[in-house]
């Protein structure tokens, strides 16, 4: 049995929507027939709490588990034990590039995704995340990474920020998650946009485009 592909969701500050992206991406991968686990590396355990309220009727990760390992070796052991039999493990990292979980995750994963809310302060914090990832890529050339525009609103400022994002060294994924009530509602209910009704169709389309972009970047189908 092949080892699961590991994807880290990384940000430098709270409010980037990292856990939301993690859980929606997990559900989207599950909809495509992949077996998915989520490793909650954030001490706040938002992904774990999200999953506890989830309905079993909608596509969702097969397993969501908290990781308290303090170093790379312990993290690797936890991921191997909990992620056995999965196609993907999504790592919801703490909102800090200084946290040992974030650095340990970058030493293990094949792909890092950085959710970015189109705003000046988020761009500043993303520069720090990018520097950390580029350093990790020098040590591990096979590591892939990309920026994901998240919580995007249709404003002139958001458009300007999206243009600035393309000046980063890391590529921007060809997918966007907008600021939609469907994402907030699915968080409250512990599921994903795939368990909501027709009003969430636009959000489902966005998540499916995100899944396709992630699979393409990770070399999967």
């Amino acid at each position: 049995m092949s080892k699961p592909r590991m994807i880290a969701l990384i940000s430098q500050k709270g409010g980037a929507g990292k856990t939301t992206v993690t859980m929606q991406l997990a559900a989207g991968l599950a909809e495509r027939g992949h077996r998915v686990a989520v490793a909650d590396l954030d001490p706040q355990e938002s992904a774990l709490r999200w999953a506890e309220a989830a309905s079993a009727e909608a596509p969702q990760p097969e397993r969501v588990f908290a990781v308290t390992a303090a170093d790379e070796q312990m993290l690797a052991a936890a991921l191997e034990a909990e992620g056995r039999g999965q196609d993907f493990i999504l790592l919801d990292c703490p909102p800090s590039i200084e946290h040992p979980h974030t650095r340990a995750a970058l030493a293990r994963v094949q792909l890092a995704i950085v959710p970015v809310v189109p705003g000046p302060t988020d761009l500043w914090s993303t520069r720090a995340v990018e520097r950390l990832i580029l350093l990790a890529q020098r040590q591990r050339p096979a590591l892939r990474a990309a920026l994901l525009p998240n919580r995007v609103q249709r404003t002139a400022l958001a458009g300007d920020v999206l243009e600035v994002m393309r000046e980063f060294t890391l590529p921007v994924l060809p997918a966007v998650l907008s600021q939609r009530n469907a994402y907030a509602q699915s968080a409250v209910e512990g599921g994903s946009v795939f368990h909501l009704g027709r009003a969430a169709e636009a959000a489902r389309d966005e998540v499916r485009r995100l899944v396709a972009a992630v699979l393409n970047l990770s070399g999967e189908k």
Side-chain angles (χ1 to χ4, degrees):
M1 181 178 295
S2 61
K3 292 184 178 181
R5 302 283 292 179
M6 291 189 284
I7 302 173
L9 281 297
I10 297 177
S11 66
Q12 169 62 356
K13 60 188 290 292
K18 177 175 50 61
T19 299
T20 297
V21 173
T22 300
M23 300 306 285
Q24 303 297 344
L25 176 57
L29 287 167
E31 189 202 33
R32 291 278 291 260
H34 295 286
R35 301 183 66 182
V36 187
V38 171
D40 193 342
L41 276 60
D42 190 337
Q44 297 181 34
E45 297 187 348
S46 299
L48 196 63
R49 293 193 178 109
W50 184 314
E52 286 173 351
S55 166
E57 300 175 358
Q60 58 186 324
E62 291 191 4
R63 186 178 308 156
V64 179
F65 57 94
V67 176
T68 58
D71 58 35
E72 182 186 343
Q73 187 174 2
M74 294 173 64
L75 175 64
L79 294 176
E80 182 176 356
E82 296 285 353
R84 198 168 285 122
Q86 304 298 313
D87 299 316
F88 289 91
I89 304 177
L90 306 187
L91 282 65
D92 187 13
C93 295
S96 168
I97 60 173
E98 303 300 331
H99 198 287
H101 286 180
T102 301
R103 293 178 177 270
L106 275 178
R108 301 294 307 176
V109 301
Q110 290 80 38
L111 174 62
I113 297 174
V114 184
V116 183
V117 178
T121 58
D122 289 85
L123 282 183
W124 299 334
S125 66
T126 300
R127 288 291 185 188
V129 179
E130 181 180 59
R131 286 194 295 270
L132 178 65
I133 292 175
L134 293 176
L135 176 61
Q137 287 179 325
R138 285 199 290 271
Q139 299 168 344
R140 298 179 57 226
L143 172 64
R144 297 184 179 184
L147 309 178
L148 169 66
N150 188 38
R151 296 177 57 193
V152 176
Q153 302 184 49
R154 298 189 178 216
T155 65
L157 174 60
D160 291 342
V161 173
L162 289 174
E163 286 300 315
V164 173
M165 283 177 63
R166 303 189 188 283
E167 299 175 4
F168 279 62
T169 301
L170 293 179
V172 179
L173 279 174
V176 171
L177 298 188
S178 303
Q179 181 76 20
R180 297 184 184 277
N181 289 335
Y183 296 122
Q185 183 181 350
S186 62
V188 170
E189 298 182 13
S192 73
V193 294
F194 293 96
H195 86 280
L196 301 179
R198 293 179 58 187
E201 189 59 42
R204 285 193 287 274
D205 287 343
E206 288 183 346
V207 175
R208 287 174 180 135
R209 285 193 288 272
L210 170 60
V211 170
V214 167
L215 290 175
N216 182 63
L217 188 59
S218 62
E220 300 286 336
K221 294 182 178 181

